[in-house]
Amino acid sequence: MSTLSIFLLIGFITIIALGASYLDAKFQWRLNDWMSGTCSNPFIASKATQQQQQLIEKKDKQIAALLERVETLEAIVTQPAYELNQKINAL
């Protein structure tokens, strides 16, 4: 094998590996897992990914509920009647 052939082969393998890594990062296709033999179908999302997605959705719902509660409390505290009640209680 000539030197040029070796460099082209190494370059081609590097391009394939980098392309698979890019697609894994962008679309979560698990191509690197598939090429190393750790998964049977790279296009099926793993259960861990699905569980993480469910946890993120649950946290998003909790954050939205807490933001709504904080907005309600801010509305109560900034009402003039609340301030008047606090001044009366301070006397």
Side-chain angles (χ1 to χ4, degrees), residues 19-33 42:
S21 296
Y22 171 76
L23 293 172
D24 280 350
K26 185 155 180 100
F27 302 111
Q28 288 81 34
W29 281 356
R30 300 179 358 171
L31 293 173
N32 286 329
D33 291 343

Side-chain angles (χ1 to χ4, degrees), residues 36-75:
S36 66
T38 57
C39 75
S40 59
N41 188 345
F43 300 109
I44 296 175
S46 66
K47 290 182 181 181
T49 305
Q50 292 173 352
Q51 290 174 347
Q52 286 176 340
Q53 191 66 18
Q54 289 173 349
L55 287 174
I56 290 172
E57 289 173 2
K58 183 179 176 183
K59 287 180 184 179
D60 288 344
K61 288 178 185 177
Q62 288 178 342
I63 290 171
L66 290 173
L67 285 173
E68 185 177 327
R69 290 177 69 183
V70 168
E71 289 173 359
T72 303
L73 290 173
E74 286 175 348

